[in-house]
Amino acid sequence: MRTEDLILAAQVRELAAELRHQHAYSTKKEMDARLSPEQRESLEDFMEKYRAAHPVTKFVPEAMQKLEKVSEVIQMYIRTHPQN
């Protein structure tokens, strides 16, 4: 594997983890809004269950799409703003 591939894989994994984190918090917020205070579980308990049910690999396709869009924007910028 080339260094560039390893860097891209690390970036995809990092972004996938961030997407999972964001989704977990929005899910928790939505659940808390529907449940009474007595029915709500702690953030730690929720996150433990969420991580078990949603592996980071589930978010890799979305992360790759987002990185691809970023790459397209960068390439367009490079084409439209030539360096001296």
Side-chain angles (χ1 to χ4, degrees):
M1 238 184 178
R2 298 181 328 199
T3 302
E4 295 86 7
D5 295 336
L6 294 173
I7 291 170
L8 179 58
Q11 289 174 333
V12 167
R13 178 154 175 79
E14 184 178 333
L15 183 54
E18 177 60 30
L19 291 169
R20 177 176 75 167
H21 187 74
Q22 289 175 4
H23 186 261
Y25 276 101
S26 68
T27 301
K28 172 81 168 115
K29 188 176 178 180
E30 289 172 9
M31 286 177 53
D32 285 351
R34 288 182 294 196
L35 298 172
S36 68
E38 300 82 33
Q39 293 176 307
R40 296 178 189 159
E41 61 186 326
S42 72
L43 181 59
E44 295 82 21
D45 291 343
F46 173 80
M47 291 303 286
E48 185 178 326
K49 292 175 187 174
Y50 186 90
R51 285 186 193 106
H54 298 84
V56 74
T57 53
K58 177 180 177 181
F59 296 90
V60 167
E62 183 180 355
M64 289 179 68
Q65 284 180 330
K66 289 182 182 291
L67 287 174
E68 188 174 309
K69 288 179 185 178
V70 168
S71 177
E72 290 172 5
V73 169
I74 291 170
Q75 293 300 320
M76 186 182 308
Y77 179 84
I78 290 171
R79 283 193 301 270
T80 60
H81 295 82
Q83 302 226 348
N84 293 336

